[in-house]
Amino acid sequence: MSSTDPPVTADLGSAEAQLLERAHALADLHELSLSAVEGQGALAIVLGRPGEGKSALLGRVCRDAQGLGLRVCRARGSELERDFAFGIVRQLLERLVRELDPAEQLELFDGAAGLAAGVFGLDGGGRAPDGPFAILHGLYWILAGLLTRGPLLLAVDDLHWADDASLQWLAYLRGRIESLRVLVVLTSRPVDPEHGVLGMLGVDLAVHSLRVGPLAPASTAALIEDALRATPAEAFTHTCQRLTAGNPLAVAELLGELRRMRATPDAATAATLDSLAPAGLERSVLDRLGRLTEQARKLAHALAVLGEAAPLRLLATLGGLDLDAAASAAEELTQAGILDQAEELRFLHPLLRAAVYESIGVRLRARMHAHAATLLSDERADPQAIAAQLLCSDPAGEAQSVRQLRTAASTAMSQGAPASAISYLRRALAEPPQQETLGATLTELGVAEMVVRDPAASTHLQAALQCASDRGERVVLALLLSEVCLYAGERERVLELLGLALQIAQDCGDPELVLLAQRRRIALGLALDLSDGKLDEPSLEALQLLAASQRPAARAVRITLALGSARPCEPGERPLALLRAGLDGGRFLAEESADAPEAVTAAIALVVYDQLDEALQHTSAMLADAARRGSVLGFVHGATFRALAHLRGGTLAEAEADAQDALRLLQEQSMEFVAPFPRSCLAAALRETGRAREALALLDGGELPAAASGRAAVFETRGRVRIVLGELDGAIADLEAVGEIVQAAGLRHPSYHRWRSPLAFALAGGQPERAAELLASELADARRTEVDSAIGVALAASAALAAPDACDALWQAAIERLRHSPARLELARAEVGYGAALRRAGQRVRAREPLRHGLELATRCGATPLSTLAAEELRAADGRPRRPWLSGVEALTPSELRVARRAAGGASNRDIAQALFVTTKTVEMHLSNAYRKLGIDSRGLLPGALSD
């Protein structure tokens, strides 16, 4: 794999032919190049069939771009290297990265860019990437850093042969390129729009798509005249056009043959062209190759097998030539127009390489690839270069081949390219591995398939489990397989595997394995069905003993037990002490990461027990950890449960922004299985801000999750939205479903799922007795928890449905409780409810104070329907509501507020963009809007403006 800048095209005697009729495409790409210089990035793709001049067009664009001041980086896809992880990216950027001195590299890899340093074999400062997304995120910031040194043109020829990881990066880049000083120009054969990432790029409206096609007869006639030095007869032109279909490369090949024959372009010659003309490009190339020496043919075969830019000495060895004979053969091939005139040995066109390659017998090709793998191994070449050769060789039961393929797979996985790893490991299985390495190979393949959600992961991990004899290995495999089955919706299989893992761990008597199995059983049990998270008494006692120990694993157990205490409505003192001990001043997150299930458990427990400030600190730390590692799952978890904390606290703009960020990233990464929770949070924020119809559409827009906990979140939010919309029957059905789920789990804590009071409202008209029972039950459980917001919400709900002579005391008690809680929105709701009740009772003067307080709080929360109601009630009570904010902090959108607060805290635009997985241009836009609305003109004034 070379990172130097090879010529994208060369003179086939057809360079001009391939640029005929391309003026419009060249003009469009010239404009895009100018825009890139000025800071407006773009991605363009040139589509055309083989030989229609894509490469020549790209070569002209590269020359023009250099004249405009863009530095050009080139790459070309290859059939042989299409499984080489980030092969195209490395061809484009590796030389630029390695040209930097150590200090410059250190600066480049600072922040998120360090996550992708391993793609270039460099140290990213200890930044360990967390999956494919982290690498893509890091590569984006590497490119952004390189662009500070000047604008770039990234030119990729034959994208249809690009590796999957590079295609994923181009797809990631396309939505973020606008703010970069870069033009990316790709060439590809036309592909079906359904053909993965490449097909999507060809039809994406964000990509400038250009098409080239066959030449018109007039252009063919001009080329004939130029090549044969005579004006062609009409019949001659017509026949040439028919034989070549106007394909520029085919025209050039035909004219080259006719020029060698000294043919004249008259009508008589036209009549003989069918017999004289070669039957297609492949025949032409082979005829030309057949006229050369045996040494030239051997070198051409070796180059077709070993790959372009291979050293001459390796090509000579593979072709069975001495070095002098190989050098002479290379010159002969160049003179014959088969090899390029560049310093590196490469075919003049990929179609020439394909023709030579296909001319080698299948069995001989396979043997040559195996020999090439051995040569590269002796050279200590890149493991993936060796693997690329083995992929094309026949299985031979060689242990060394299995080792090399597994090494290449490990490299690919470390570079965030699981698709490449899967190719290598499947080929390793075909070798096949010896019995002692079969299980490990199956496990590695299953894990790689897990990353890309390939259903084959289940088969391979099951086979690995059957191979494994070590009990510890069997526990880990059973747990991995249970996770695969979870995503496949195989509930009973998940429970079976969790039980198997725990049984094996207990049988071998290893307390660490027992703990691992128990932790996973709780986490996946809760994800599938809340009731499956329960533990038997012996298991619970063992966990309690571990929680009391000083072992590092005790942290996670303490967090789990803390949330478990919410089931019987235990007061918060003991659970919170356990929780804080588990978090251990941030050490849990530092060691376990935001991806750990217990990180989410901690966030939920803090919210349940009204510790919203701590919940915000903890989830913000989760987001920081996720940004550092480039973790999608960690970011989504942190953003989702920070949104929940903001919702409970009544900061609706922040809740909406966090939930939107989580959903945006999930949609980009096609991780719909995690979406129910952020979708529910966003819908709840939309409901409170007056967009109930939008909220309902959001909740109805996705499939219901298989996991009961996800369904409970969706049902609860949708039920409350339907109450706002007056759809009581649907609301009752949704909220009853929540009740069934949480009651089956013994989850009575009213702060976990707030379903009883809204259900009571929906039932009050037709089933008043049932409504009263629900409210009494919620209030009793809330009092047992001693959580102020839970008690206040239950009291307010009871007051709203109580008789007029009994509601006053309930309203006052609710407001008093809520004033001691962080639930500002619930306090606003209670104040407005109390004021409205007083107004309806004819006590207008008394009604004004709670209505004013409620209006102020509701407006600050951004709860538009509630503030509108408060204003109407205040007017009815002869009060004067204040005007809504048209400027200031309250006028900021959720995204503007979030960015402004980070900037006020000292974060740079780049820091903010990396943390939120957006572009710096997006950050700049939000800050510009914030300055205008806040009436300021500099970053330094942000803290004061936001404080005011």
Side-chain angles (χ1 to χ4, degrees), residues 22 60 78 128 133 170 172 195 374 521 564 577 720 805 839 852 931-932:
R22 307 294 185 246
R60 173 65 65 83
S78 163
F133 174 83
L170 289 169
Y172 182 84
H195 183 72
T374 301
R521 182 181 171 195
R720 298 180 71 172
D805 59 346
R839 198 271 306 165
R852 286 195 182 97
Y931 292 164
R932 175 175 50 79

Side-chain angles (χ1 to χ4, degrees), residues 712-746:
V714 171
F715 290 150
E716 178 191 348
T717 307
R718 192 169 67 185
R720 298 180 71 172
V721 169
R722 283 175 164 165
I723 289 175
V724 172
L725 295 173
E727 301 175 4
L728 294 186
D729 289 343
I732 290 169
D734 281 340
L735 294 167
E736 292 277 22
V738 179
E740 291 173 7
I741 293 170
V742 298
Q743 286 173 347

Side-chain angles (χ1 to χ4, degrees), residues 629-873:
R629 294 180 299 109
S631 167
V632 175
L633 198 59
F635 181 88
V636 169
H637 283 164
T640 297
F641 292 98
R642 190 168 73 174
L644 178 63
H646 280 307
L647 273 173
R648 292 293 177 88
T651 45
L652 299 178
E654 288 90 337
E656 182 179 341
D658 279 335
Q660 284 177 335
D661 282 347
L663 280 175
R664 170 183 53 80
L665 199 53
L666 287 177
Q667 288 163 356
E668 283 184 3
Q669 299 301 305
S670 301
M671 294 172 64
E672 178 63 24
F673 64 92
V674 192
F677 297 100
R679 185 179 288 119
S680 297
C681 286
L682 179 55
L686 294 173
R687 179 196 72 227
E688 298 289 5
T689 52
R691 292 169 283 172
R693 283 290 174 199
E694 188 178 339
L696 186 60
L698 179 67
L699 293 169
D700 287 343
E703 294 183 10
L704 283 175
S709 53
R711 290 200 307 277
V714 171
F715 290 150
E716 178 191 348
T717 307
R718 192 169 67 185
R720 298 180 71 172
V721 169
R722 283 175 164 165
I723 289 175
V724 172
L725 295 173
E727 301 175 4
L728 294 186
D729 289 343
I732 290 169
D734 281 340
L735 294 167
E736 292 277 22
V738 179
E740 291 173 7
I741 293 170
V742 298
Q743 286 173 347
L747 246 181
R748 297 192 60 86
H749 199 302
S751 285
Y752 202 102
H753 284 288
R754 291 177 174 171
W755 62 278
R756 281 176 281 191
S757 48
L759 180 56
F761 277 106
L763 293 171
Q767 302 180 53
E769 291 183 0
R770 172 88 196 286
E773 289 174 4
L774 286 166
L775 290 176
S777 168
E778 181 175 339
L779 181 56
D781 285 342
R783 290 191 187 282
R784 279 195 289 273
T785 68
E786 300 179 0
V787 175
D788 286 323
S789 69
I791 297 170
V793 167
L795 284 169
S798 300
L801 295 181
D805 59 346
C807 72
D808 194 280
L810 287 171
W811 278 121
Q812 292 194 48
I815 290 169
E816 182 62 25
R817 277 289 187 175
L818 290 168
R819 282 177 179 162
H820 287 87
S821 84
R824 298 292 90 188
L825 181 55
E826 295 302 336
L827 175 58
R829 210 185 314 275
E831 295 263 26
V832 174
Y834 182 36
L838 290 171
R839 198 271 306 165
R840 287 192 298 271
Q843 302 183 52
R844 294 185 177 183
V845 175
R846 283 189 64 200
R848 292 173 194 162
E849 182 178 359
L851 286 172
R852 286 195 182 97
H853 290 166
L855 174 59
E856 179 77 10
L857 280 173
T859 305
R860 290 193 176 278
C861 289
T864 307
L866 183 59
S867 60
T868 299
L869 174 63
E872 291 172 352
E873 288 287 347

Side-chain angles (χ1 to χ4, degrees), residues 163-182:
D163 62 282
D164 182 74
S166 293
L167 286 172
Q168 293 291 341
W169 178 68
L170 289 169
Y172 182 84
L173 182 62
R174 91 187 187 285
R176 298 164 172 82
I177 198 171
E178 187 178 354
S179 60
L180 301 178
R181 298 176 68 198
V182 63

Side-chain angles (χ1 to χ4, degrees), residues 27 75 80 317 351 377 396 550 610 635 800 853:
L80 186 61
T317 303
L351 292 176
S377 179
Q550 297 303 310
D610 257 6
F635 181 88
H853 290 166

Side-chain angles (χ1 to χ4, degrees), residues 167-254:
L167 286 172
Q168 293 291 341
W169 178 68
L170 289 169
Y172 182 84
L173 182 62
R174 91 187 187 285
R176 298 164 172 82
I177 198 171
E178 187 178 354
S179 60
L180 301 178
R181 298 176 68 198
V182 63
L183 172 61
V184 179
V185 182
L186 317 168
T187 74
S188 173
R189 296 175 185 175
V191 294
D192 191 302
E194 301 299 320
H195 183 72
V197 175
L198 182 55
M200 176 271 296
L201 288 172
V203 298
D204 194 320
L205 294 178
V207 178
H208 298 267
S209 183
L210 307 169
R211 287 187 175 270
V212 295
L215 298 174
S219 296
T220 301
L223 292 171
I224 295 171
E225 183 170 359
D226 182 65
L228 302 183
R229 299 292 188 266
T231 301
E234 184 176 344
F236 190 94
T237 299
H238 175 76
T239 304
C240 289
Q241 186 78 10
R242 175 173 57 80
L243 290 173
T244 63
N247 183 287
L249 184 57
V251 170
E253 284 291 314
L254 175 59

Side-chain angles (χ1 to χ4, degrees), residues 492-535:
E492 297 304 320
R493 180 67 172 142
V494 172
L495 300 179
E496 175 189 336
L497 288 162
L498 291 172
L500 174 65
L502 184 57
Q503 185 62 54
I504 296 171
Q506 289 172 337
D507 288 346
C508 70
D510 186 333
E512 292 293 336
L513 284 178
V514 171
L515 171 64
L516 176 64
Q518 286 175 329
R519 284 179 60 185
R520 208 72 196 121
R521 182 181 171 195
I522 294 170
L524 291 191
L526 285 171
L528 267 179
D529 183 334
L530 295 172
S531 61
D532 295 329
K534 293 180 180 178
L535 292 172

